[in-house]
């Protein structure tokens, strides 16, 4: 950590999206020039494991002392099951939706998740941005745009969710893949999808002692490697503030009340409509200021602006620079665990 320049530190806090229709080399200069910490595969990578492996091998090969401070890349995908399974085709089992996974016993789900993890690891993906820990109330059901509409939740009961979240994480861990619980503190009670709307995304129910937090707490106890913060607004916790920019949510609730000391990542804050009213650079600085770590952007063109905002704020604000150091330290610790870094 102490050997990383300010520019390298900022880069480790950024993850960029590679669309399936883009050239596998399209991000090379961005990853190496901005010292990025990770890449997420976006879109439908449906041509099988061999195609994914050729891309991930190329991306992993971009890491070097000069390009990434000697740290390997987090290579991520959304591999939940059902409608949200980015990696498909030969080499990947077709995964049932979380709703269907809920019919399995916890031990059976762990066994299947272990297989799914081994498959994506063999394809060069080392981070799964799953499982979903959101609970959609039965009274809302498919009226919930981001989760319920697609059956992405295990159950409408938070206690059922908690057990399945832990079982899924156990399988990811056994298969050698980092797991991510999302979308903290829960987007099951809103109507519109934060990717596409800036209205209809306010949760007027969730509190800091809400039962719907139990699946997240369960995932943390089970060893989730990251927690993803959703982009909704919670009027009973921090009115009018999108969750990634809320210290009350990221630091006080997640790190404080729930006791989570690991890496916190945003949902997409590059293209998402929910945060479109916040200037691009501020999306990165406000998240880190709130206590977050990795800023995920599906829009490669936003990365230089975010990187510049982080480094400029570090140069002008020593307290913020210290927050960056703490965040990068958490990222480096996770990379050590994942075999993407080494000490000594």
């Amino acid at each position: 950590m102490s050997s990383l320049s300010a520019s390298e530190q900022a880069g480790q806090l950024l993850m960029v999206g590679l669309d399936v229709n883009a050239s596998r080399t399209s991000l090379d200069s961005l990853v190496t020039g901005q010292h990025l910490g990770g890449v997420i595969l976006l879109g439908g990578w449906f041509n099988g494991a061999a195609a994914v492996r050729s891309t991930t091998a190329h991306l992993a090969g971009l890491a070097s002392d000069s390009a990434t401070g000697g740290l390997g890349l987090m290579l991520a995908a959304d591999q939940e099951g059902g409608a949200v399974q980015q990696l498909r085709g030969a080499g990947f089992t077709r995964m049932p939706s979380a709703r269907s996974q809920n019919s399995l016993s916890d031990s059976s789900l762990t066994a299947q998740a272990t297989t799914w993890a081994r498959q994506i690891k063999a394809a060069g993906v080392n981070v799964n941005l799953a499982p979903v820990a959101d609970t959609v109330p039965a009274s809302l059901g498919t009226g919930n745009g981001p989760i319920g509409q697609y059956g992405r939740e295990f159950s409408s009961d938070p206690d059922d969710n908690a057990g399945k979240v832990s079982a899924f994480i156990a399988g990811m861990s056994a298969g050698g893949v980092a797991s991510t619980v999302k979308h903290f503190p829960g987007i099951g009670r809103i109507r519109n999808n934060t990717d596409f709307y800036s209205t209809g995304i306010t949760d007027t129910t969730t509190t800091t002692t809400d039962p719907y937090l139990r699946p997240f707490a369960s995932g943390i106890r089970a060893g989730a490697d990251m927690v993803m913060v959703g982009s909704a607004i919670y009027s009973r916790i921090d009115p009018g503030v999108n969750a990634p920019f809320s210290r009350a949510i990221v630091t006080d609730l997640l790190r404080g009340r729930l006791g989570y000391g690991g890496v916190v990542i945003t949902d997409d804050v590059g293209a998402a409509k929910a945060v479109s009213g916040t200037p691009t650079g501020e999306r990165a600085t406000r998240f880190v200021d709130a206590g977050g770590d990795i800023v995920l952007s599906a829009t490669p063109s936003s990365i230089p602006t975010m990187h510049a905002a982080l480094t400029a704020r570090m140069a002008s604000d020593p307290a913020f620079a210290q927050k960056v150091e703490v965040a990068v330290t958490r990222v480096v610790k996770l990379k050590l665990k994942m075999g993407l870094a080494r000490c000594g």
Side-chain angles (χ1 to χ4, degrees), residues 1-329:
M1 171 59 210
S2 62
S3 68
L4 298 178
S5 68
S7 181
E8 289 170 336
Q9 289 181 40
Q12 286 302 305
L13 301 186
L14 296 170
M15 177 179 285
V16 66
L18 176 63
D19 188 81
V20 65
N21 295 315
S23 163
R24 73 177 185 182
T25 63
S26 63
L27 298 178
D28 288 12
S29 61
L30 193 62
V31 170
T32 58
Q34 307 284 300
H35 317 294
L36 301 189
V39 176
I40 175 174
L41 304 182
L42 295 176
W45 294 71
F46 296 165
N47 291 328
V52 174
R53 190 160 47 244
S54 67
T55 296
T56 56
H58 172 77
L59 293 170
L62 298 176
S64 68
D65 289 344
S66 60
T68 59
L71 298 166
L73 292 176
M74 291 183 181
L75 299 173
D78 286 305
Q79 200 77 340
E80 302 171 14
V84 182
Q85 183 180 347
Q86 289 178 331
L87 314 179
R88 302 183 195 176
F92 300 116
T93 299
R94 191 70 175 92
M95 299 167 61
S97 70
R99 270 289 189 179
S100 296
Q101 292 173 34
N102 193 50
S103 65
L104 300 171
S105 68
D106 289 353
S107 60
S108 293
L109 178 55
T110 295
Q112 292 201 29
T114 301
T115 297
W116 302 332
R118 288 171 176 162
Q119 289 172 346
I120 65 175
K121 184 177 182 180
V125 171
N126 52 33
V127 175
N128 190 3
L129 297 180
V132 165
D134 307 295
T135 302
V136 180
S139 59
L140 182 55
T142 57
N144 171 256
I147 306 297
Q149 180 179 349
Y150 303 104
R152 296 171 68 192
E153 77 281 23
F154 289 110
S155 170
S156 59
D157 182 301
D159 292 318
D160 286 349
N161 271 346
K164 290 301 183 285
V165 164
S166 295
F168 191 100
I169 288 171
M172 288 295 114
S173 179
V177 172
S179 58
T180 310
V181 287
K182 62 185 183 184
H183 309 76
F184 190 82
I187 56 173
R189 285 171 165 148
I190 61 176
R191 287 201 168 270
N192 289 339
N193 191 327
T194 55
D195 287 339
F196 311 121
Y197 295 91
S198 58
T199 59
I201 62 165
T202 298
D203 177 328
T204 60
T205 304
T206 299
T207 67
T208 58
T209 58
D210 203 282
Y212 280 26
L213 295 175
R214 291 173 190 163
F216 294 98
S218 178
I220 290 168
R221 288 193 300 270
D225 296 287
M226 295 195 287
V227 174
M228 176 182 285
V229 177
S231 297
I233 296 169
Y234 300 82
S235 61
R236 298 186 67 184
I237 302 177
D238 197 356
V241 181
N242 296 90
F245 311 142
S246 171
R247 183 172 180 81
I249 290 172
V250 179
T251 293
D252 298 343
L253 178 55
L254 178 55
R255 297 203 184 280
R257 183 177 288 273
L258 270 64
Y260 180 66
V263 172
V264 181
I265 186 172
T266 67
D267 200 350
D268 170 49
V269 291
K273 291 293 185 183
V275 297
S276 59
T278 300
T280 301
E282 288 185 23
R283 298 173 203 171
T285 57
R286 289 185 64 185
F287 178 60
V288 173
D289 218 11
D293 304 309
I294 296 177
V295 180
L296 188 159
S297 176
T299 311
S301 61
S302 70
I303 292 295
T305 302
M306 291 178 174
H307 188 276
L310 288 168
T311 53
R313 178 83 180 274
M314 291 167 68
S316 64
D317 184 344
F320 182 79
Q322 187 173 24
K323 285 188 176 184
V324 169
E325 289 186 5
V326 171
V328 176
T329 299

